[in-house]
Amino acid sequence: MRLIRFDGKYSNMKLDLPKRTVERLSKYRRILLGTLADGKTHIYSHELAGLLHITAVQVRRDMMLMGFSSMLRKGYDVKDLIEAIGDLIDTPAGMNVAVVGLGNFGQAVTTYLQGRRPKLHIVATFDVAKEKIGRAFGGVQCYSMEELPGMIREQNIQIAVLTVPIDQAQSTALILAELGIKGILNFTTVPLHVPEDVCLEEYDMITSIEKVAYFVKHRGECQEG
Amino acid sequence: MRLIRFDGKYSNMKLDLPKRTVERLSKYRRILLGTLADGKTHIYSHELAGLLHITAVQVRRDMMLMGFSSMLRKGYDVKDLIEAIGDLIDTPAGMNVAVVGLGNFGQAVTTYLQGRRPKLHIVATFDVAKEKIGRAFGGVQCYSMEELPGMIREQNIQIAVLTVPIDQAQSTALILAELGIKGILNFTTVPLHVPEDVCLEEYDMITSIEKVAYFVKHRGECQEG
DNA sequence: TAGATTGTTAATCGATTAACAATC
DNA sequence: TAGATTGTTAATCGATTAACAATC
């Protein structure tokens, strides 16, 4: 599905980008916000590439894939590019997010994520522990698991960050899918299975550190983007 | 570099596996430990695949790459396979790990990782905050940043988990590399640059959640491993 | 044996990089 | 103009999947 220019604006309603490109768009935007704050209005592909430690070709190819062009050989317009990335990633009203499971990780994630991206709102956290329910963590209210269905409906929560204990991970994921959650960021170290209309992003810390251990042991190059 | 059978044992000193295969080995092992605890001695490729939500071919190809075979068409010997994975990932004495930066994330990671893998020892954490230094978090002692060089040397710390604030990330990473750290697990959301003999594994939470947001918005399938 | 399972090669898919024409 | 920069196609690389012969 390719982008079509339409009356000066982009008709990018159904543009599906490669996963790796989407990951980089998120990084480009954050770098560019810093660049903009420094008062720079334009940036060359090789400059942006340098800030991310990737190649200029890769930056230009990503721009091409998202249908963004620079004109004038003065580099990319920083403000325009930030906006174009926002048009792709964000929804105008923003998306509501819940953190499910408020242990050490759940609390750290809530505190860290809250307010960090203007179009991602952490609107609720959930836990089973009585002493946590009703309290606020990182400025976000904690609810009981019984309130999950109601809150998801009322607040139109579409994304869940899963930080429950491992023995609860799979069952909770299925409940979330059942309740209409459309995306899950899995912080537990359990390989999850969810219905295929649910977007699943896994982050398994033990895999990551064991991968580092393997490559340290074998002295192979293992640097990632 | 391929494996050579040698007198019934494997000569796999320099076997370099694909990154994705290494990631799965870590997952296989943890699944297999559960399988073993359930009293199962052998497992078929399709069974192991089912537990990870991948294909049986992929499991068999990974076994082939690591030079592990089943014989007897009774499936893979669970105990042998766990051991073979350990031979690849672990070092006999284990590797020492430091957590650098003891904010919410640093504390959560320390607590979670500590004691979880027998061959990965979190031996120290580091922070600048006076009130944290000298205390123990998750059973691990916190030291001042000034003690970093000495501790790395004395304890032979090879891996660092980086959980410092974003404005300290790059400078701290370079210091760690300078001090001889061989692998960094980067929990900060800053794209790091380190000397190429240092293994770097990035985990950028914001990228992950924005990626989920993008695919939820565009309703594309985006399931990962 | 027939059927289930494995190990391995070849084909395919997705992502990165090289090459290069076009632009200012 | 010459040099720097861009946008895009083709080639390459890495990983997954299909196909299938071999084994028990």
Side-chain angles (χ1 to χ4, degrees):
Chain A
M1 179 74 55
R2 295 311 324 288
L3 174 137
I4 294 145
R5 247 169 212 280
F6 181 70
D7 198 14
K9 288 276 289 172
Y10 300 117
S11 164
N12 57 14
M13 294 299 98
K14 264 283 168 71
L15 180 65
D16 40 304
L17 297 169
K19 285 175 193 176
R20 291 286 127 76
T21 295
V22 173
E23 290 175 7
R24 283 189 297 268
L25 293 189
S26 168
K27 290 173 197 287
Y28 292 150
R29 174 159 69 172
R30 275 172 287 148
I31 292 288
L32 290 167
L33 287 166
T35 305
L36 192 67
D38 292 346
K40 218 164 136 62
T41 60
H42 290 76
I43 192 167
Y44 294 121
S45 60
H46 65 265
E47 292 176 310
L48 186 49
L51 292 165
L52 273 104
H53 314 297
I54 59 173
T55 66
V57 194
Q58 195 154 50
V59 170
R60 293 203 300 272
R61 190 162 223 289
D62 286 338
M63 295 304 112
M64 186 197 92
L65 290 171
M66 66 179 280
F68 190 85
S69 68
S70 66
M71 333 214 162
L72 295 163
R73 314 300 115 168
K74 291 190 123 183
Y76 300 97
D77 184 297
V78 176
K79 219 157 154 291
D80 283 0
L81 182 46
I82 290 170
E83 207 172 289
I85 295 173
D87 287 348
L88 285 167
I89 294 179
D90 301 330
T91 50
M95 263 189 211
N96 289 342
V97 178
V99 174
V100 182
L102 207 48
N104 290 327
F105 256 100
Q107 291 180 33
V109 172
T110 305
T111 309
Y112 186 76
L113 242 40
Q114 179 54 6
R116 184 121 348 197
R117 294 299 319 144
K119 298 296 184 184
L120 287 174
H121 316 296
I122 319 280
V123 295
T125 66
F126 296 90
D127 204 286
V128 291
K130 285 223 171 47
E131 65 275 19
K132 291 175 188 163
I133 297 165
R135 284 181 57 197
F137 292 82
V140 185
Q141 190 79 4
C142 179
Y143 299 88
S144 74
M145 293 298 282
E146 286 71 37
E147 297 171 271
L148 203 45
M151 287 296 287
I152 288 178
R153 212 179 325 105
E154 286 159 33
Q155 300 267 7
N156 186 32
I157 298 170
Q158 297 198 77
I159 296 176
V161 177
L162 194 66
T163 45
V164 298
I166 51 174
D167 57 314
Q168 312 276 307
Q170 180 60 69
S171 58
T172 308
L174 289 179
I175 291 169
L176 290 168
E178 189 66 34
L179 294 172
I181 286 289
K182 287 288 162 250
I184 295 177
L185 180 49
N186 179 24
F187 265 98
T188 78
T189 56
V190 180
L192 289 189
H193 188 60
V194 292
E196 63 172 28
D197 64 320
V198 176
C199 292
L200 178 62
E201 175 76 10
E202 308 257 11
Y203 182 65
D204 180 337
M205 205 187 329
I206 295 183
T207 293
S208 294
I209 199 162
E210 291 197 327
K211 188 176 165 192
V212 173
Y214 174 87
F215 284 104
V216 166
K217 180 183 175 186
H218 295 260
R219 287 283 181 289
E221 158 271 329
C222 69
Q223 295 197 16
E224 300 264 303
Chain B
M1 180 72 56
R2 294 311 323 290
L3 176 137
I4 295 146
R5 246 172 213 281
F6 181 71
D7 198 14
K9 288 276 290 172
Y10 301 116
S11 163
N12 57 14
M13 293 299 102
K14 263 286 166 68
L15 178 66
D16 39 304
L17 297 168
K19 287 176 192 178
R20 291 286 124 78
T21 295
V22 174
E23 291 175 9
R24 284 189 296 270
L25 293 189
S26 168
K27 291 173 198 285
Y28 292 149
R29 174 161 67 173
R30 276 171 286 149
I31 293 288
L32 290 167
L33 287 166
T35 306
L36 192 67
D38 293 347
K40 217 163 138 60
T41 60
H42 290 77
I43 191 166
Y44 294 122
S45 60
H46 65 264
E47 292 176 310
L48 185 50
L51 292 166
L52 272 102
H53 315 296
I54 58 173
T55 67
V57 194
Q58 196 153 52
V59 170
R60 293 202 300 273
R61 190 162 224 287
D62 286 337
M63 295 305 112
M64 187 197 93
L65 289 170
M66 66 178 279
F68 190 85
S69 68
S70 67
M71 335 216 162
L72 297 163
R73 317 300 117 170
K74 291 190 123 183
Y76 300 96
D77 184 298
V78 176
K79 219 155 155 291
D80 284 358
L81 182 46
I82 290 172
E83 206 173 292
I85 295 173
D87 287 345
L88 285 167
I89 294 179
D90 300 331
T91 50
M95 263 192 212
N96 290 342
V97 178
V99 174
V100 182
L102 208 48
N104 290 325
F105 256 101
Q107 290 180 35
V109 172
T110 304
T111 308
Y112 186 75
L113 242 38
Q114 180 53 4
R116 184 117 354 193
R117 293 298 320 142
K119 297 296 184 183
L120 287 174
H121 316 295
I122 320 279
V123 294
T125 66
F126 297 91
D127 203 285
V128 292
K130 287 224 170 45
E131 66 273 22
K132 291 175 188 162
I133 297 165
R135 285 182 56 198
F137 293 81
V140 185
Q141 189 81 3
C142 178
Y143 298 88
S144 74
M145 293 298 280
E146 286 71 38
E147 296 172 272
L148 203 42
M151 287 296 287
I152 289 177
R153 210 176 330 104
E154 286 158 33
Q155 299 268 4
N156 187 28
I157 299 172
Q158 296 200 76
I159 296 177
V161 177
L162 194 65
T163 45
V164 298
I166 50 173
D167 58 314
Q168 311 277 308
Q170 180 60 69
S171 58
T172 308
L174 289 179
I175 291 168
L176 291 168
E178 190 65 34
L179 294 173
I181 286 291
K182 287 289 164 249
I184 295 178
L185 180 48
N186 179 24
F187 266 99
T188 78
T189 56
V190 179
L192 288 189
H193 189 61
V194 292
E196 63 172 27
D197 65 319
V198 176
C199 292
L200 178 62
E201 176 75 12
E202 307 257 11
Y203 181 65
D204 180 338
M205 206 188 327
I206 296 184
T207 293
S208 295
I209 198 163
E210 292 198 326
K211 187 175 167 193
V212 173
Y214 174 87
F215 284 105
V216 166
K217 179 184 175 187
H218 294 261
R219 288 282 182 289
E221 157 271 329
C222 68
Q223 294 196 15
E224 300 265 305

